[in-house]
Amino acid sequence: MEWLVTGGCGFIGTNLIRHLLREGGHRILVVDNLSVGRREDLARVCSFREVAPPSLGRGWKGEAVALVVGDIADRELARAAVQGREVVVHLAGNTGVQPSLADPWSDCINNVLGTLNYLEAARRGKVRRFIYASSGATVGRCSPPVHEKLCPAPVSPYGASKLAGEAYCSAYFHSFGLETVCLRFGNVYGPGSSHKSSVVARFFRRALEGRPLEIFGDGNQSRDFIYIDDLIEAILRAAKAKGVGGEVFQIATHRETTVRELAREVVAVLREAGVDRIEVRHAAPRPGEVRRNFSDITKARTRLGWEPRTSLRDGLALTLAWFQEHYSPRR
Ligand SMILES: NC(=O)c1ccc[n+]([C@@H]2O[C@H](COP(=O)([O-])OP(=O)(O)OC[C@H]3O[C@@H](n4cnc5c(N)ncnc54)[C@H](O)[C@@H]3O)[C@@H](O)[C@H]2O)c1
């Protein structure tokens, strides 16, 4: 299958590419502006050819993976990049609440206009399926479990921009027949996430730097933590399942874990790996974040035939093993 992965040098993108190559029979074009992901991150999972936008029309020879360095706002690049692709997995954009609070404008340009740009290119380029990386942040304040029928009320610019992306996906399905599938990822963790500001990555970074784990607020805020391999399986199924155009799916585990409980699990996993004397301390709560969050994944179970398989303890142990081998503080 011919894939286009925007943001393919990032955490989820590199893991997706690793899985596709393991499965075999795929060719993958990556568009990434390298604002976060790096060539070295992509090189860790595959060998690839770097191509310039003008040569895209002729395709590329040799490697199964090609990288074009560019921004998702670039309309000409988007048009060239979708040529001959069957599936687009749109991962690039602003990825968090805190940057969206610091700069809502840039969050909007990246997440709304960047997504619109790739939807427009995809429908003109006759792409078969468009997978959109959405987030539980679209729903905002509600009593969990979050599910697809709740009326969204985002509490952060990030939630708003991701929701706008979902709205455009719906519009492109109903107006133009482009088979969009929106996946609202839970809190994803796993190998390759050492640059992320998510709580699991922060805990492991700090522990390996010999610093205390830091919990924002009282630690009773909850999240739904999903291991990367389970998430990738959901993306693969969303790319192939029949009759899911225009749909939205919660992709998480249906398990609610407080940050306090997570810290306990992280400390246990660290101890098992011989990292002892971990201090846990509390810091001021952060604005724009919901108190409780976990997802009902019944729809993904029934329509995608998907099931998350990795326990939190196993996933954390696999993540720590990766951090111990690969993590070094970035300059
Ligand atoms: N990781 C999670 O827990 C999580 C949860 C919910 C949703 N998501 C969504 O999944 C997607 C991927 O997340 P991730 O964790 O892999 O993030 P990441 O930051 O590791 O990867 C994103 C990649 O996109 C690239 N990028 C950013 N802006 C770009 C632009 N304007 N043009 C081209 N490339 C650009 C970055 O260089 C990076 O390589 C994002 O859309 C994010 O919002 C992630």
Side-chain angles (χ1 to χ4, degrees), residues 97 100 107 135-139 154-164:
V97 169
S100 83
D107 175 73
S135 157
T138 50
V139 181
V155 297
S156 65
Y158 173 67
S161 66
K162 283 287 177 187
L163 182 59

Side-chain angles (χ1 to χ4, degrees), residues 126-184:
K126 310 242 175 310
V127 165
R128 186 175 59 71
R129 188 148 296 184
F130 187 99
I131 313 285
Y132 173 60
S134 189
S135 157
T138 50
V139 181
R141 200 152 282 158
C142 67
S143 329
V146 176
H147 57 80
E148 296 83 356
K149 290 201 173 111
L150 286 175
C151 182
V155 297
S156 65
Y158 173 67
S161 66
K162 283 287 177 187
L163 182 59
E166 285 190 3
Y168 274 109
C169 284
S170 170
Y172 267 69
F173 175 65
H174 291 287
S175 298
F176 305 118
L178 175 63
E179 287 190 3
T180 56
V181 183
C182 300
L183 302 180
R184 290 178 178 162

Side-chain angles (χ1 to χ4, degrees), residues 265-297:
E265 288 291 301
V266 164
V267 168
V269 163
L270 284 162
R271 280 214 183 99
E272 270 167 31
V275 186
D276 261 331
R277 268 179 260 142
I278 306 296
E279 191 194 325
V280 179
R281 73 168 178 221
H282 290 257
R286 300 201 297 184
E289 297 198 330
V290 297
R291 183 81 182 147
R292 289 182 67 204
N293 193 332
F294 73 102
S295 295
D296 181 334
I297 58 169

Side-chain angles (χ1 to χ4, degrees), residues 153-231:
V155 297
S156 65
Y158 173 67
S161 66
K162 283 287 177 187
L163 182 59
E166 285 190 3
Y168 274 109
C169 284
S170 170
Y172 267 69
F173 175 65
H174 291 287
S175 298
F176 305 118
L178 175 63
E179 287 190 3
T180 56
V181 183
C182 300
L183 302 180
R184 290 178 178 162
F185 303 158
N187 214 299
V188 195
Y189 69 97
S193 63
S194 54
H195 62 286
K196 298 295 296 180
S197 58
S198 56
V199 56
V200 173
R202 263 192 303 108
F203 279 173
F204 280 137
R205 275 199 306 268
R206 293 182 71 98
L208 296 180
E209 288 162 9
R211 296 196 291 154
L213 309 191
E214 196 175 47
I215 294 177
F216 296 117
D218 61 11
N220 291 325
Q221 66 272 36
S222 64
R223 295 292 179 268
D224 193 330
F225 297 100
I226 177 167
Y227 185 64
I228 184 72
D229 287 3
D230 289 332
L231 180 96

Side-chain angles (χ1 to χ4, degrees), residues 11-12 32-33 36-37 72 91 110 134 158 162 188 195-196:
F11 165 41
I12 295 172
D32 199 301
N33 67 1
V36 177
I72 50 169
L91 300 170
N110 275 303
S134 189
Y158 173 67
K162 283 287 177 187
V188 195
H195 62 286
K196 298 295 296 180

